[in-house]
Amino acid sequence: MKTTTKESTKIKILKTAFSFYKKPCLTHVSLGDIAKKAGISKAAIFKHFRNKEELLTQMEDHFFSVVADFILSTYKNLADAIWAKDVSIYRIILRNSVKTFFENPEYLFYMLSLLAYAPKGNYYLREKLNHKLEERGLSLCLIGSSLGVNYSSEQSQIFDISKHTAISYAFTSTFFFLSYHILNSENTEMPDQKEVLCTFLADLLDFGFYKPENRISTERMKEIEKSAVIDFSKIPEPNPFFKALASIVNTCGLPGVTIERLAKELGMAKSSLYTYSSSKNEFIFNLLREELTSMISVLNQVCKNFKNNVDLSYAFIYTATQYFLNRKDVLVTFQWIRMTGRIFPDTKNLAENIIQNLDDDADSFGLQENDTSSFKMQKETFYSWLSAVASSFVLQKNNHNLSDEQIFEIIRICFSYIQSGLTNCNSNK
């Protein structure tokens, strides 16, 4: 069937809108920018979309169709797996994920922006995906049994914590390192780049990060927890400006943050906010930098007495989890880390300077079975990854009706996967 001119123009507009997500995009793109990049007039957009809201809705519709097709193709790949080559299903899923998102980074960053800043909530996104899956003969209820989650109600319930932790850890890590690699590699078009990343991720997930003789037990983790308690009574409350920012992000998403809304939330005149910074983006960045610098300072203070690298790593992810559970304002605004692979959005050196108390022995940041890999993990990336994993699980607390103790149980299970790998941990059960 031939595509009409009207249909092709509509597809062109959608593709152009998605093209703004080839890198992290924390604000809604204007219709004027889309029109300019597509080489059409702004008025021409309204021949295909009644308004901007309809365009955004159809972007969501198209994206969830792509995701549903991806899930369906992954199921088919599992059926056609070459088991002599793929020692675990994670390698098959990873190969499919890396290929898809390397070729279409706009879908990766669009997805992460939806997950991080969706004011309509996760339930809304879940229903959108479920509708597309049902059109293809699948459903979240069917897939949920493989993920350890019951999706039959609005508030999903985890029935297998180990299985759910494994899958969540695998996907969080995959998307974190995909984002990091796409944004920080000089040339992602090189043929071997996908294979380098895929091998790194597969080895990390299958075999873990630490050599067997360095791994710690669950009992040791609990001992570390006793010495890694944050005294929140000694930590100052967040800046009122930051609390206002977090409140708006929580209800409107980061793209919904405006100087007008900030002024209203704070009960101040709009003009008075410009005495603190010259633009909205500068204002937001300064608030993020101040609060996250404070967070890292607290984590450093608690972790500084741990000299063993594995103990230190667990102390860090445990204290980060405590911080996110108790400082929900930080958690709300922290999720851009999934998109950047850094603790700060623009200033890598700043992040490296404030992690000054953490051990930076280069040998401790090479995969235990993969020392020759060309994918190297720097100190700042390593701790950003641990922070992203911790924040990801804390975000699931309300979605799955979990208690704080269940979150800490998940963190212990997850750290076992981090140090030993999914294959090793599952084979030992």
Side-chain angles (χ1 to χ4, degrees), residues 256-412:
V257 176
T258 63
I259 293 295
E260 289 82 0
R261 282 179 172 149
L262 281 167
K264 183 178 180 180
E265 185 76 20
L266 290 162
M268 298 172 62
K270 175 183 171 182
S271 58
S272 64
L273 290 181
Y274 285 108
T275 63
Y276 296 94
S277 57
S278 59
S279 68
K280 182 188 81 169
N281 288 343
E282 181 185 347
F283 186 75
I284 291 173
F285 176 75
N286 287 339
L287 289 175
L288 286 171
R289 180 172 57 183
E290 176 184 335
E291 189 61 31
L292 293 176
T293 299
S294 175
M295 182 188 83
I296 295 298
S297 177
V298 171
L299 300 190
N300 277 337
Q301 191 64 31
V302 175
C303 294
K304 67 180 182 181
N305 295 323
F306 294 95
K307 301 304 179 184
N308 174 282
N309 282 326
V310 187
D311 286 357
L312 174 62
S313 298
Y314 183 70
F316 184 89
I317 195 172
Y318 176 76
T319 51
T321 302
Q322 286 182 72
Y323 201 94
F324 290 133
L325 283 169
N326 284 274
R327 299 295 280 263
K328 295 178 176 60
D329 291 341
V330 177
L331 181 67
V332 167
T333 54
F334 190 73
Q335 289 314 296
W336 50 257
I337 196 172
R338 291 178 172 183
M339 290 180 264
T340 64
R342 294 176 177 175
I343 292 181
F344 290 91
D346 297 318
T347 52
K348 182 177 180 181
N349 290 335
L350 175 61
E352 289 179 336
N353 289 336
I354 64 172
I355 310 180
Q356 55 191 329
N357 292 325
L358 300 177
D359 194 309
D360 62 351
D361 179 2
D363 292 337
S364 66
F365 295 93
L367 282 176
Q368 51 115 357
E369 297 291 345
N370 198 29
D371 293 336
T372 60
S373 172
S374 59
F375 188 99
K376 301 299 181 184
M377 198 186 318
Q378 302 301 317
K379 175 179 65 173
E380 189 249 356
T381 308
F382 177 77
Y383 289 108
S384 292
W385 168 49
L386 294 184
S387 301
V389 171
S391 66
S392 177
F393 284 117
V394 175
L395 279 168
Q396 295 182 28
K397 180 182 177 181
N398 291 334
N399 294 336
H400 301 308
N401 194 28
L402 298 169
S403 65
D404 285 4
E405 184 48 48
Q406 286 175 310
I407 293 295
F408 288 124
E409 179 186 355
I410 286 172
I411 291 299
R412 293 182 203 112

Side-chain angles (χ1 to χ4, degrees), residues 68-126:
D69 287 339
F70 169 76
I71 292 173
L72 190 62
S73 68
T74 300
Y75 266 65
K76 291 179 179 178
N77 281 352
L78 290 176
D80 299 331
I82 304 172
W83 295 106
K85 179 179 179 182
D86 296 293
V87 298
S88 77
I89 63 170
Y90 302 104
R91 291 182 184 267
I92 303 165
I93 296 173
L94 276 168
R95 186 169 57 247
N96 215 22
S97 300
V98 171
K99 179 179 184 295
T100 298
F101 290 117
F102 252 80
E103 294 174 355
N104 304 281
E106 63 272 23
Y107 293 142
L108 172 65
F109 293 115
Y110 180 77
M111 175 189 68
L112 294 177
S113 68
L114 284 179
L115 291 173
Y117 304 113
K120 296 177 183 177
N122 284 329
Y123 180 68
Y124 166 80
L125 299 178
R126 202 169 74 212

